């Protein structure tokens, strides 16, 4: 049988209330009594019942996190930011992987709420009416990370994906490229898909370049898609073949680099490649990938800090947080001075 608070109190010769005060860090316990109780706790191997404590305080000190794909370096880094801040504020994490499936997302949300979590961080794709109904019936706060509520009712932490894609495409155009292609994931994804795609289109239009259907291909935000989609561009006639590829994610960008190299061509001498996200692999691939830096860890950390404020009833000045982005110049693009002469 597990050791109970009654067993500790009996062994230490104190009341259960005293044991409870020691366990909960209440300062109103004599040092000698505290030491005696702690010694007994260690001797008996007592562990407080979190469920019982949660029922008494109406808090479980647990936070639910729904993540689309734990194998993705992007979401793994986001989750690390969430977990670090959760630990700092003494919260435990219950993590659920939704496999980017809407039905599983809804099921995970309901399961976490049934487990009486104190709050939730949700990472996913599009926020559907079904998501909204589930979120609005929740009695605990929910913060979105890496996605946004189209109605603007839920707190969220993101970057400006449209502007990031616009800046990346403009950087390639300023390097002398008139034929800039884009490979992307599903356009149904409102931020990583749709907003990045629209930022790319706007940059072309502002530069007086007419977008061509042959320059735009979508698949998944995965390496395999980058490899496959870039091969399509390489098979185009020379007058249509892009001289630069903007990839809607670093995984896509790395796949594109390898597709170019598999044809015996050079990145960046024959085709320049720009990524988006700045996952760790972007620095490991050769040539190293130039990319739009999304502060991935910070998005998770800020989302969790925002959630702690909401759970504790603290004042929140801004609940739609947009963090800054920048372009990290590496070796998959030429320096602007030499690119412009291409």
């Amino acid at each position: 049988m597990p050791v109970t608070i009654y067993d500790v109190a009996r062994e230490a010769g104190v009341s259960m209330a005293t044991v409870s005060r020691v366990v909960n860090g209440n300062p109103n316990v004599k040092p000698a009594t505290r030491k005696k109780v702690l010694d007994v706790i260690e001797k008996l191997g007592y562990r407080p019942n979190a469920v019982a404590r949660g029922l008494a305080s109406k808090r479980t000190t647990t936070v639910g996190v729904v993540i689309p794909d734990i194998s993705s370096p992007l979401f793994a880094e986001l989750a690390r930011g969430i977990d670090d801040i959760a630990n700092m504020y003494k919260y435990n994490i219950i993590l659920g992987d939704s496999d980017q499936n809407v039905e599983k997302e809804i099921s995970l949300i309901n399961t976490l709420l049934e487990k009486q979590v104190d709050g939730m961080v949700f990472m996913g794709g599009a926020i559907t009416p079904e998501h909204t109904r589930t979120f609005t019936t929740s009695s605990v706060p929910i913060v979105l990370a890496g996605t946004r509520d189209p109605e603007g009712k839920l707190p969220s932490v993101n970057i400006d994906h449209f502007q990031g894609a616009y800046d990346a495409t403009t950087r390639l155009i300023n390097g002398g490229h008139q034929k800039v292609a884009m490979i992307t994931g599903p356009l149904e994804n409102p931020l990583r898909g749709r907003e990045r795609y629209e930022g790319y289109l706007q940059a072309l239009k502002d530069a007086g370049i007419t977008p061509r259907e042959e320059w735009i291909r979508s698949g998944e935000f995965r390496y395999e898609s980058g490899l496959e989609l870039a091969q399509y561009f390489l098979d185009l006639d020379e007058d249509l073949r892009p001289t630069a590829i903007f990839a809607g994610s670093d995984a896509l960008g790395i796949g594109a680099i390898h597709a170019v190299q598999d044809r015996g061509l050079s990145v960046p001498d024959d085709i320049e490649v720009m990524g988006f996200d700045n996952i760790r692999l972007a620095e490991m691939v050769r040539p190293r990938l130039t990319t739009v830096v999304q502060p991935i860890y910070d998005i998770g950390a800020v989302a969790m800090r925002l959630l702690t404020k909401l759970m504790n009833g603290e004042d929140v000045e801004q609940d739609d947080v947009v963090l800054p982005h920048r372009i990290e110049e590496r070796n998959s693009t030429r320096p602007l001075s030499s690119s412009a002469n291409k």
Side-chain angles (χ1 to χ4, degrees), residues 159-224:
I159 64 165
D160 188 334
H161 293 264
F162 175 95
Q163 190 63 47
Y166 183 96
D167 294 345
T169 307
T170 300
R171 159 64 179 83
L172 293 172
I173 294 169
N174 289 342
H177 296 282
Q178 294 292 302
K179 294 183 287 186
V180 180
M182 181 181 189
I183 52 178
T184 180
L187 296 181
E188 293 79 12
N189 186 302
L191 302 185
R192 300 181 70 212
R194 176 59 58 178
E195 287 201 7
R196 293 182 188 182
Y197 168 69
E198 291 179 351
Y200 158 80
L201 289 181
Q202 191 62 51
L204 292 183
K205 292 175 183 177
D206 287 353
I209 301 172
T210 302
R212 298 188 63 114
E213 182 181 344
E214 295 91 344
W215 294 346
I216 303 165
R217 284 292 176 270
S218 64
E220 301 295 330
F221 290 106
R222 295 179 180 274
Y223 168 85
E224 294 80 7

Side-chain angles (χ1 to χ4, degrees), residues 258-333:
H258 289 165
V260 173
Q261 292 172 335
D262 287 348
R263 294 293 183 95
L265 300 174
S266 168
V267 176
D269 293 335
D270 295 306
I271 296 180
E272 297 189 34
V273 179
M274 170 83 70
F276 201 120
D277 289 330
N278 197 39
I279 63 175
R280 292 184 181 182
L281 286 174
E283 283 201 283
M284 299 178 187
V285 68
R286 293 295 181 269
R288 297 182 306 136
L289 181 63
T290 297
T291 188
V292 178
V293 177
Q294 179 175 196
I296 303 168
Y297 177 93
D298 292 347
I299 290 174
V302 171
M304 184 62 215
R305 179 64 185 109
L306 176 57
L307 183 62
T308 62
K309 289 185 176 182
L310 294 171
M311 290 187 297
N312 294 318
E314 300 177 37
D315 290 335
V316 174
E317 295 180 2
Q318 183 180 3
D319 64 3
D320 183 14
V321 181
V322 179
L323 298 180
H325 66 274
R326 61 182 175 82
I327 293 178
E328 178 69 26
E329 298 278 352
R330 296 194 179 107
N331 310 114
S332 66
T333 55

Side-chain angles (χ1 to χ4, degrees), residues 61-125:
T61 63
T62 58
V63 169
V65 177
V66 177
I67 188 170
D69 181 4
I70 193 61
S71 67
S72 163
L74 171 71
F75 294 117
E77 186 75 356
L78 263 169
R80 192 169 72 89
I82 292 170
D83 188 56
D84 283 354
I85 301 303
N87 287 333
M88 184 183 301
Y89 286 89
K90 310 300 182 186
Y91 284 94
N92 299 307
I93 292 291
I94 302 177
L95 182 67
D97 189 330
S98 70
D99 296 323
Q100 304 187 62
N101 179 284
V102 173
E103 289 185 4
K104 191 172 180 182
E105 285 176 352
I106 301 298
S107 176
L108 280 171
I109 294 166
N110 285 321
T111 298
L112 290 168
L113 293 175
E114 289 168 4
K115 291 185 179 297
Q116 304 296 308
V117 294
D118 294 334
M120 189 184 307
V121 178
F122 177 82
M123 293 177 275

Side-chain angles (χ1 to χ4, degrees), residues 121-122 127 135 142-149 154-158 303:
V121 178
F122 177 82
I127 302 298
F135 289 146
I142 295 171
V143 173
L144 308 179
T147 188
R148 183 179 292 118
D149 172 18
L154 291 172
S156 63
V157 182
N158 292 286

